[in-house]
Amino acid sequence: AGLIIFGQQAPFFEDDGVQFFGLAKQIRQFHGLEDRAFGLDAAIEILGISDEIDVISVSKFYRTQPQNYTDQDWFVNAALKIRTSLDPDALLLALKSVERVLDRNGKPFRFGPRIIDLDIIYYDELIFKNQCLEIPHPRMHERCFVLIPMCDIGADAVHPVFHLKPGDLLENIEKKETQEVILLDKED
């Protein structure tokens, strides 16, 4: 589960980038549908009130099968497109702050259960890696739960390394049968 980001140069912020985020929230079987999407809605609202972040668009919400560690509840995922004045490292710090606000305990281990998980997927056409962050996200091209929401709001975005659009990357995924992604109808 992850927050999806991909981008282009922001026209009305001279040097600011446009990013897309995918937001993920752990689905708890004992919660109702409104609670399942609450973490996503809360994260979007928190990001939207920041002076450094302008939320441009949000994808549909999807119920998604857990990956890597599968003995856990399903997730809710979405993509969020933002415009920001923050550089990638500062943006990551802002996202981690939102995660701490919404989930004080965090995830117990890598790929484990969590309430919210926000990841940078793209930051303009930037190719970047340091100890804390890699852009584009190193596994995004292998994940249906990232690419399907990206197709909703950024179907024309091009991966800066593979030079493919999200739909093309989605077609290249070999193990789609273990990556179920179901449109979440918030009205049910």
Side-chain angles (χ1 to χ4, degrees), residues 151-167:
C151 287
D152 288 348
I153 61 173
D156 291 331
V158 176
H159 192 288
V161 174
F162 299 125
H163 308 290
L164 295 171
K165 296 178 181 179

Side-chain angles (χ1 to χ4, degrees), residues 12-47:
F12 72 80
F13 287 106
E14 296 263 328
D15 297 318
D16 299 342
V18 174
Q19 293 76 36
F20 290 80
F21 292 95
L23 304 165
K25 180 185 181 290
Q26 183 76 17
I27 295 176
R28 302 287 183 199
Q29 292 178 349
F30 54 86
H31 285 301
L33 186 58
E34 288 181 5
D35 292 332
R36 293 178 184 167
F38 173 77
L40 295 178
D41 290 331
I44 293 165
E45 186 173 335
I46 291 168
L47 292 169

Side-chain angles (χ1 to χ4, degrees), residues 2-168:
L3 197 130
I4 303 165
I5 304 173
F6 55 102
Q8 60 197 29
Q9 191 62 30
F12 72 80
F13 287 106
E14 296 263 328
D15 297 318
D16 299 342
V18 174
Q19 293 76 36
F20 290 80
F21 292 95
L23 304 165
K25 180 185 181 290
Q26 183 76 17
I27 295 176
R28 302 287 183 199
Q29 292 178 349
F30 54 86
H31 285 301
L33 186 58
E34 288 181 5
D35 292 332
R36 293 178 184 167
F38 173 77
L40 295 178
D41 290 331
I44 293 165
E45 186 173 335
I46 291 168
L47 292 169
I49 61 174
S50 166
D51 291 336
E52 294 86 14
I53 297 173
D54 181 26
V55 175
I56 297 171
S57 59
V58 180
S59 74
K60 299 170 187 166
F61 287 16
Y62 294 89
R63 184 174 183 264
T64 62
Q65 190 172 5
Q67 301 298 300
N68 302 100
Y69 177 73
T70 58
D71 187 20
Q72 60 182 317
D73 295 331
W74 284 40
F75 293 92
V76 173
N77 282 281
L80 175 64
K81 179 180 178 180
I82 67 163
R83 182 175 288 116
T84 185
S85 59
L86 300 173
D87 65 43
D89 287 317
L91 181 58
L92 180 63
L93 288 174
L95 297 179
K96 295 306 171 192
S97 294
V98 173
E99 286 181 357
R100 283 190 299 277
V101 166
L102 297 176
D103 184 7
R104 295 185 193 277
N105 296 324
K107 58 186 172 188
F109 52 88
R110 188 171 185 204
F111 304 121
R114 63 260 192 201
I115 299 299
I116 191 80
D117 184 25
L118 309 177
D119 294 313
I120 301 172
I121 304 300
Y122 289 171
Y123 188 105
D124 293 322
E125 294 81 30
L126 182 66
I127 299 170
F128 175 83
K129 184 175 182 177
N130 65 22
Q131 291 180 342
C132 300
L133 179 61
E134 186 171 352
I135 301 173
H137 190 285
R139 291 173 300 283
M140 58 89 50
H141 63 284
E142 302 169 350
R143 296 176 167 176
C144 295
F145 68 81
V146 171
L147 296 170
I148 291 172
M150 284 179 72
C151 287
D152 288 348
I153 61 173
D156 291 331
V158 176
H159 192 288
V161 174
F162 299 125
H163 308 290
L164 295 171
K165 296 178 181 179
D168 299 324

